[in-house]
Amino acid sequence: MRERIGLRRQPCSELEMLGVVQSIQEEKQDAGFGEMGGDYRLARELSDLQQLRTLYKPQLPPCLQGTTVRVEFGDATIAADPSAKVPDAQFITDHPAVRVGVVFCGRQSPGGHNVIWGLFDSLKVHNPKSVLLGFLGGSEGLFAQKTLEISDEILATYKNQGGYDLLGRTKDQIRTTEQVNAALNACTTLKLDALVIIGGVTSNTDAARLAQIFAERKCLTKVVGIPVTLNGDLKNHFVETSVGFDTICKVNSQLISNVCTDALSAEKYYYFIRLMGRKASQVALECTLQSHPNMVILAEEVDASKLTLFDITKKLCDAVQARAEQDKYHGVVLLPEGLIESIPESLCICNNLAPLQEIHGLLRKGVSADNISGQLSPWASALFEFLPPFIRNQLLLHPESDDSAQLSQIETEKLLAHLVEIEMNKRQEEGTYKGKKFNAICHFFGYQARGSLPSKFDCDYAYVLGHIGYHIIAAGLNGYMATVNNLKNPVNKWRCGAAPITAMMTVRRYGNNPSILRQPALRPATVDLKGKAYDLLRQNATKFLMDDVYRNPGPLQFEGAGAGADARPVILCVEDQDYMGRIKELQEYLEKVRSIVKPWLLLPTFSR
């Protein structure tokens, strides 16, 4: 094993740190940093904890240590580059200097900076002449060819830090013809051997399409995807979890637990807390398993049971009443932000269009907000007029770039608290509820956690994925995503690999017309209502609801035995989704069978 080269020592003193900050500011200004719509020129003044975290060196599994890595190929799959040769295994010993571009293409997620760090380290270890260019301002910076050459000095104050402020981010898509052409032109002009896209479901879908188009147009740039998203919905046979999910859930779980303690102390408030999570309720489920609030309403449950808004309200009111019968007038309820999209889909379907989709369609046609209600279908209009004015206004916001609702701006927690209050007052007037007045306090825990210092797990995981990203490039692969399996175990037992993004994609129909197909895409991994994690929740649901078994995991821990620094997400540990590990074990058994069974010893059998 050879010593790493091309790396400078970490800044330790305050004067050294200030010198690094000044140098970084000058390099960013020279690169035009700040012209993509954000003020990126602010000095970085790190706290003692932040400085201490910059000194932490993430661990690498044995397979990535040293300068010689054995690449073992599995069965042939359909990748973006059909001309790629796929040998059984090879040692990559030739590492010519390469030029690699990297871009943040999703919402900021703790650990993103460590992906760049791991990629940079691996590039420089294998060839100090290799160059890593970061695109400033996300995909907009890619289109405009705004770059910053990454150096160890540039990285010094961003190692193990949260946010995406090293490079920044803007739009979340590289999809239109104009955008694809701009990306291809940038990669060609800058003579990039590879483009690494850091992001979630949408960004990696775009990465796969970009890889295919680059290959079709004979562009030499290979495209590599890295699974980084706080929602935890980029999960499949190959990807056990995404970078940032662990941190988000740990930070939110502490906040939730603090609220639980406050509720138990005052004994007079119900707290309705909305959490991040668009199509999938993974964050809400994980936080529930970590902090044990009284209730959680998962979007997947609402979809599966076809619950209406009134059904959900009744369910919550019945829980409030049951607790009141035990003289408990407090509680904590968790909701995913994507819940609002599930409610209208099961509440009223008219001509295969849900109310939100109808509203977005009218907004795209230029219909003013004041005239929306009159042009909705009868059921959608009735629902729209039933909702409180503040929710109606939020539903009228223009959709996101991927045509989804601006869920972070729709206060579902206030809507449900409002409806529960109305129903509880009604029950009190009718004499069916004889307890104290219902009081609610609402919170949205969204942006508070996504800029957090990443957990030790996310620091290690992201850094390892960055290293794998380089080895995908060195192997000449296009349209692949870096993967790590066996994540619930210590780093020295992790299994590193890569898989074609196309192997993770599916095609779905539009409505009931089988002749109309959508484009292949990665789909958000929703909570599996037949899975082990959800089953664990169901087993404890009654106890959580009635017994106030609140659990406080405490703040993020970075070191110390027994302090939770090495704790993994509950979902990750419970589901035990080591698909690639089981495949490898199966291959080993088949090899044993092959060695035992001798074909020439098999005798023919005859029957009448």
Side-chain angles (χ1 to χ4, degrees):
M1 190 163 63
R2 196 173 67 188
E3 286 187 357
R4 295 184 180 276
I5 55 178
L7 302 182
R8 303 178 184 175
R9 69 184 178 89
Q10 300 284 359
C12 297
S13 69
E14 185 176 351
L15 288 176
E16 285 181 301
M17 188 66 70
L18 289 174
V20 168
V21 169
Q22 183 177 0
S23 175
I24 291 172
Q25 291 180 65
E26 291 171 354
E27 291 194 47
K28 287 183 177 179
Q29 290 174 11
D30 291 341
F33 210 92
E35 295 178 10
M36 303 311 299
D39 186 3
Y40 301 115
R41 298 181 180 178
L42 296 176
R44 285 178 62 80
E45 185 173 338
L46 303 188
S47 68
D48 291 343
L49 176 59
Q50 285 180 296
Q51 292 187 43
L52 187 63
R53 291 305 296 154
T54 64
L55 304 180
Y56 172 71
K57 183 70 175 191
Q59 302 177 57
L60 282 176
C63 64
L64 294 179
Q65 295 175 7
T67 56
T68 301
V69 173
R70 182 174 185 268
V71 178
E72 180 179 331
F73 291 88
D75 295 333
T77 55
I78 299 173
D81 189 353
S83 64
K85 295 181 180 179
V86 184
D88 292 331
Q90 67 182 70
F91 285 95
I92 299 177
T93 56
D94 184 27
H95 294 273
V98 292
R99 290 173 60 83
V100 178
V102 62
V103 59
F104 288 128
C105 276
R107 287 164 175 78
Q108 49 267 40
S109 187
H113 287 144
N114 274 32
V115 174
I116 296 178
W117 182 16
L119 178 60
F120 173 81
D121 274 8
S122 196
L123 278 169
K124 293 297 185 180
V125 162
H126 291 91
N127 193 319
K129 294 182 180 179
S130 291
V131 174
L132 180 60
L133 298 177
F135 287 101
L136 305 176
S139 56
E140 288 289 339
L142 169 63
F143 305 148
Q145 301 181 31
K146 293 288 185 179
T147 64
L148 175 70
E149 182 172 344
I150 303 299
S151 67
D152 195 52
E153 188 176 48
I154 287 286
L155 283 170
T157 60
Y158 292 91
K159 295 175 178 178
N160 303 311
Q161 305 298 307
Y164 279 2
D165 48 321
L166 169 61
L167 299 177
R169 56 161 284 263
T170 47
K171 288 185 178 180
D172 304 315
Q173 64 177 22
I174 310 173
R175 193 169 309 152
T176 66
T177 301
E178 182 182 2
Q179 291 168 341
V180 169
N181 288 339
L184 189 147
N185 183 52
C187 292
T188 302
T189 302
L190 296 171
K191 299 179 180 179
L192 296 183
D193 296 286
L195 173 65
V196 177
I197 293 178
I198 299 173
V201 170
T202 301
S203 302
N204 278 283
T205 295
D206 292 343
R209 292 172 181 160
L210 207 60
Q212 179 180 357
I213 292 171
F214 280 16
E216 290 172 350
R217 298 188 187 179
K218 308 301 181 184
C219 175
L220 299 179
T221 305
K222 308 298 185 184
V223 182
V224 175
I226 307 291
V228 180
T229 171
L230 57 87
N231 293 325
D233 57 359
L234 206 178
K235 187 168 66 169
N236 49 55
H237 286 322
F238 306 100
V239 181
E240 293 184 3
T241 189
S242 54
V243 172
F245 179 71
D246 180 59
T247 304
I248 290 291
C249 293
K250 283 176 177 173
V251 172
N252 278 333
S253 292
Q254 190 214 355
L255 295 174
I256 293 164
S257 300
N258 292 346
V259 170
C260 289
T261 302
D262 187 81
L264 190 60
S265 301
E267 296 186 312
K268 60 179 180 180
Y269 297 116
Y270 272 87
Y271 291 88
F272 285 68
I273 302 174
R274 178 165 49 101
L275 300 170
M276 299 289 265
R278 302 181 62 81
K279 301 293 184 183
S281 307
Q282 303 285 1
V283 173
L285 175 59
E286 176 66 25
C287 289
T288 299
L289 295 175
Q290 287 194 28
S291 58
H292 302 178
N294 298 104
M295 286 187 71
V296 59
I297 305 292
L298 303 179
E300 292 83 352
E301 291 178 314
V302 173
D303 274 338
S305 300
K306 306 300 181 186
L307 297 179
T308 67
L309 190 58
F310 307 101
D311 293 331
I312 298 171
T313 302
K314 182 180 183 302
K315 182 177 180 179
L316 289 167
C317 290
D318 290 346
V320 170
Q321 189 155 345
R323 286 178 58 81
E325 291 171 359
Q326 292 190 8
D327 201 29
K328 294 180 178 180
Y329 297 96
H330 62 277
V332 178
V333 181
L334 303 188
L335 313 165
E337 64 177 356
L339 179 65
I340 191 66
E341 285 192 319
S342 297
I343 295 171
E345 287 175 1
S346 55
L347 187 63
C348 80
I349 303 294
C350 288
N351 300 320
N352 293 323
L353 286 176
L356 269 177
Q357 293 171 315
E358 289 190 39
I359 290 171
H360 292 166
L362 292 171
L363 289 173
R364 282 192 291 271
K365 292 178 181 178
V367 178
S368 66
D370 294 337
N371 297 325
I372 287 285
S373 180
Q375 297 195 38
L376 292 172
S377 58
W379 273 101
S381 179
L383 171 62
F384 186 75
E385 291 300 326
F386 163 78
L387 297 172
F390 71 93
I391 290 291
R392 291 204 297 266
N393 292 334
Q394 292 161 5
L395 290 176
L396 291 173
L397 295 172
H398 277 270
E400 301 274 16
S401 59
D402 62 353
D403 289 332
S404 62
Q406 292 192 42
L407 299 181
S408 62
Q409 304 301 317
I410 300 176
E411 297 172 308
T412 317
E413 73 281 10
K414 290 186 178 180
L415 170 63
L416 290 177
H418 172 75
L419 295 176
V420 170
E421 182 179 14
I422 291 174
E423 175 62 20
M424 293 311 297
N425 289 341
K426 178 183 175 184
R427 292 186 184 188
Q428 201 163 35
E429 292 174 1
E430 294 173 346
T432 56
Y433 170 67
K434 303 182 184 301
K436 296 179 181 178
K437 179 177 173 56
F438 172 82
N439 294 297
I441 296 176
C442 299
H443 296 286
F444 171 44
F445 293 166
Y447 304 104
Q448 298 93 329
R450 69 183 192 180
S452 168
L453 289 173
S455 65
K456 184 173 179 291
F457 172 77
D458 277 330
C459 287
D460 290 339
Y461 184 27
Y463 185 75
V464 168
L465 287 172
H467 273 261
I468 297 172
Y470 167 73
H471 290 292
I472 294 174
I473 297 166
L477 301 176
N478 186 30
Y480 276 67
M481 184 187 296
T483 65
V484 181
N485 296 107
N486 208 28
L487 285 170
K488 70 172 186 177
N489 289 309
V491 176
N492 62 5
K493 295 184 181 298
W494 287 3
R495 284 189 284 268
C496 302
I501 303 175
T502 51
M504 311 174 195
M505 301 170 77
T506 58
V507 179
R508 293 184 182 177
R509 294 190 183 99
Y510 275 117
N512 297 318
N513 189 342
S515 65
I516 303 177
L517 297 177
R518 294 184 179 182
Q519 291 291 325
L522 288 168
R523 306 294 174 185
T526 56
V527 171
D528 182 3
L529 300 184
K530 296 181 180 179
K532 294 179 181 179
Y534 181 75
D535 186 57
L536 180 62
L537 173 64
R538 290 300 94 206
Q539 290 175 24
N540 291 279
T542 301
K543 181 170 67 174
F544 287 177
L545 175 62
M546 303 304 300
D547 296 346
D548 295 348
V549 288
Y550 304 139
R551 176 181 179 272
N552 195 327
L556 274 179
Q557 301 295 314
F558 300 110
E559 58 185 31
D566 294 314
R568 303 291 195 259
V570 177
I571 293 176
L572 180 66
C573 297
V574 169
E575 290 181 344
D576 191 22
Q577 191 179 350
D578 186 14
Y579 172 76
M580 297 306 295
R582 290 195 295 274
I583 291 295
K584 191 171 184 64
E585 186 178 2
L586 176 60
Q587 289 173 336
E588 291 172 354
Y589 280 118
L590 291 175
E591 193 61 38
K592 290 180 181 179
V593 172
R594 188 179 292 112
S595 65
I596 294 172
V597 177
K598 307 297 184 184
W600 56 88
L601 293 181
L602 294 177
L603 300 176
T605 58
F606 301 90
S607 61
R608 291 184 178 181

